[in-house]
Amino acid sequence: MKITVDEDKCCGAGNCVLIAPEVFDQRDEDGIVVLLRSEPGAEERAAVLEAAAVCPAAAIEVHEEA
Amino acid sequence: MTPPGSIVIVGASAAGLSTAEALRRLGYEGRLTLLDAEPHQPYDRPPLSKQVLAGAWEPARAQLRGQTQLDALGAEFAQGEPAVALDAAERSVTTASGRVLRADAVVIATGLTPCRLPGQDGPAGVHVLRGLDDALTLRAHLTAARRLVVVGEGVLGTEVAATARTMGLDVTLAGMGGTLLGAQLGEVIGGELARKHAERGVRLRLGVTVDELTGADGRVTGVRLATGELLPADAVVVAVGARPATGWLAGSGLRLGDGVECDSRCRAAEGVYAVGDVASWEHEGYGRRLRLENRTNATEQAQVVAANLLGADRPYTPIPYFWTDQYDVKIQAHGLPSPAAELSVAEGDPAEQRFAALYREDGRVTGVLGWNMPKQARLLRQQALAN
């Protein structure tokens, strides 16, 4: 899976970090999402999909290989 | 439990769409239908009072998902098809066009209807802001208008005032509360925000009620306060709260109080669930009934509703969260920061417009606030708040 984030849409809620802290973080200065790993392994899949699903700004997109 | 063979979701905004997506993610392969009164593809609401109103985003940027993602859901989207009745026992939904949909399960995600002032529907130039069309109509008017009066000192009213002021309009905000966002965040933070608006040139009339809207030749000309003062305006935005959109559920057999009354699993009746702004449910963590009007709740509750539809037995016990962006301030509020709570700064410095604070009641932390400190507020939430 490959993840992209839209920094302009991100509202800094940090829900993604609460759900998948191995994959997402926030910038110290403004809370905008930081992608720690853009192609995480299978063990992170469920958490990443949930993080994308609950993001209140719809700022996380997950692209899964067909 | 056998998973339902067909599910109808009434409302295809953030809560309804997220429920559909979560169902598919959890492996649901049955029939899925989403009804919505809106003619537009599902879009997000928080940008409406900010980026879309300001013109910084094209409306399409506020769409929740692209066409490919919507197609991948394998759902039928019936747009411009408002539901007008539900029979909860039969799980059948009737739409405005007379279509009747029976399903094994129904999800209610019809959101809110804005409250209006008496006489509001008379003169032109008086707006509410709930949907995309509202935002575009208001934007078109604000690009031509000079003087705006916003009625309401809550999240929506203050955001509209900030956006309009940034667009260069002369803005007055009138509200019944004594400060801005006082009901949500208390007097200290409310006062801080009121100072920010005043600095930026917004005139504030707080602790006042509106007597009437004045008009001439069919157009609004001002807002008269109970104090007698007349606030001249060529545009007025009424942001005095909203009610759960449950009118269509009269006679459904469901319990309707402040929203659709659900149990702790977000279940309103056998095979009937509610999600998002419209849902009132028993929060087992707080030991009381709650209904949240915020964007995060829509997606978080959707995950639990989808799981429960498929046979899980999960209580919904979120830590509430909302944010608002106004001028150069990003406010983040976690938990239930009641106006009665005591506020103390935990990090940063209010003088530098960057701090995080804790709300305490009876010695317990009940809320966390970030003022231009989103990450630190989230970290404090993880340390201090639990459910």
Side-chain angles (χ1 to χ4, degrees):
Chain A
M1 68 185 339
K2 191 166 168 22
I3 308 169
T4 53
V5 294
D6 188 332
E7 291 186 6
D8 180 40
K9 281 192 173 177
C10 175
C11 64
N15 287 59
C16 53
V17 192
L18 295 171
I19 294 165
E22 306 294 325
V23 178
F24 301 99
D25 197 357
Q26 291 174 276
R27 295 202 292 241
D28 288 342
E29 63 273 24
D30 59 8
I32 298 301
V33 62
V34 174
L35 205 46
L36 299 175
R37 295 159 64 191
S38 63
E39 295 183 38
E43 69 286 357
E44 297 291 344
R45 186 172 176 276
V48 167
L49 290 176
E50 195 187 339
V54 302
C55 171
I60 302 170
E61 236 185 284
V62 179
H63 314 267
E64 299 209 67
E65 291 82 28
Chain B
M1 185 195 123
T2 327
S6 57
I7 300 175
V8 170
I9 300 176
V10 187
S13 200
L17 180 63
S18 295
T19 305
E21 291 180 334
L23 282 165
R24 292 299 192 215
R25 206 177 78 240
L26 295 172
Y28 174 67
E29 291 178 347
R31 206 170 150 197
L32 197 50
T33 309
L34 286 99
L35 296 178
D36 203 284
E38 288 269 355
H40 306 289
Q41 292 211 330
Y43 59 83
D44 207 6
R45 292 182 202 277
L48 298 183
S49 52
K50 301 183 281 282
Q51 295 94 332
V52 173
L53 185 57
W57 286 11
E58 287 300 313
R61 186 130 171 69
Q63 272 183 17
L64 281 167
R65 302 286 182 247
Q67 191 59 52
T68 318
Q69 292 161 303
L70 293 178
D71 290 344
L73 264 183
E76 182 202 346
F77 281 86
Q79 304 287 147
E81 184 88 35
V84 294
L86 168 74
D87 182 330
E90 294 290 324
R91 291 183 293 276
S92 89
V93 177
T94 306
T95 73
S97 67
R99 194 173 158 196
V100 178
L101 294 103
R102 284 193 185 77
D104 296 333
V106 173
V107 178
I108 298 165
T110 43
L112 302 172
T113 309
C115 299
R116 288 162 185 272
L117 293 175
Q120 169 172 347
D121 298 322
V126 185
H127 303 261
V128 292
L129 176 47
R130 175 69 189 165
L132 178 59
D133 290 339
D134 295 334
L136 297 178
T137 305
L138 177 59
R139 167 157 177 78
H141 190 185
L142 291 189
T143 53
R146 215 162 51 80
R147 284 182 301 203
L148 170 71
V149 172
V150 177
V151 182
E153 80 289 359
V155 176
L156 183 62
T158 52
E159 286 185 355
V160 168
T163 302
R165 187 68 199 112
T166 306
M167 289 168 73
L169 277 90
D170 175 299
V171 179
T172 305
L173 186 151
M176 284 168 61
T179 188
L180 302 182
L181 297 186
Q184 291 83 7
L185 299 176
E187 273 185 30
V188 178
I189 297 301
E192 196 70 34
L193 188 64
R195 269 192 296 285
K196 175 65 65 177
H197 275 264
E199 268 172 34
R200 297 291 176 125
V202 173
R203 263 184 307 278
L204 299 173
R205 294 291 182 271
L206 295 168
V208 297
T209 54
V210 167
D211 246 12
E212 60 166 351
L213 300 173
T214 60
D217 304 324
R219 294 204 61 82
V220 72
T221 54
V223 174
R224 190 180 307 282
L225 303 177
T227 56
E229 186 181 8
L230 177 70
L231 306 171
D234 37 31
V236 173
V237 172
V238 176
V240 293
R243 292 203 183 85
T246 56
W248 67 286
L249 294 169
S252 64
L254 297 182
R255 279 217 328 219
L256 305 174
D258 175 33
V260 177
E261 293 199 349
C262 300
D263 64 14
S264 59
R265 272 61 181 166
C266 311
R267 197 177 64 159
E270 187 66 40
V272 181
Y273 290 76
V275 60
D277 296 341
V278 77
S280 156
W281 86 104
E282 291 286 346
H283 190 303
E284 287 186 353
Y286 294 123
R288 66 179 170 95
R289 187 165 279 286
L290 216 57
R291 186 176 67 76
L292 297 174
E293 292 179 2
N294 65 57
R295 177 60 175 77
T296 320
N297 182 58
T299 42
E300 289 186 340
Q301 194 166 23
Q303 311 308 308
V304 173
V305 165
N308 289 344
L309 274 163
L310 301 181
D313 184 32
R314 277 168 61 186
Y316 179 52
T317 56
I319 294 173
Y321 164 81
F322 77 90
W323 81 94
T324 176
D325 299 339
Q326 306 185 14
Y327 310 110
D328 54 355
V329 182
K330 284 165 102 81
I331 295 176
Q332 321 265 323
H334 302 267
L336 291 174
S338 111
E342 206 174 301
L343 189 79
S344 60
V345 173
E347 219 177 317
D349 184 356
E352 289 175 10
Q353 289 292 297
R354 206 168 128 73
F355 63 97
L358 299 174
Y359 289 82
R360 277 197 186 80
E361 268 176 286
D362 303 323
R364 280 190 57 235
V365 177
T366 53
V368 174
L369 179 117
W371 183 285
N372 285 332
M373 268 203 158
K375 181 178 183 176
Q376 294 77 3
R378 190 260 305 162
L379 287 165
L380 281 170
R381 160 204 175 130
Q382 285 176 281
Q383 289 161 21
L385 292 175
N387 266 322

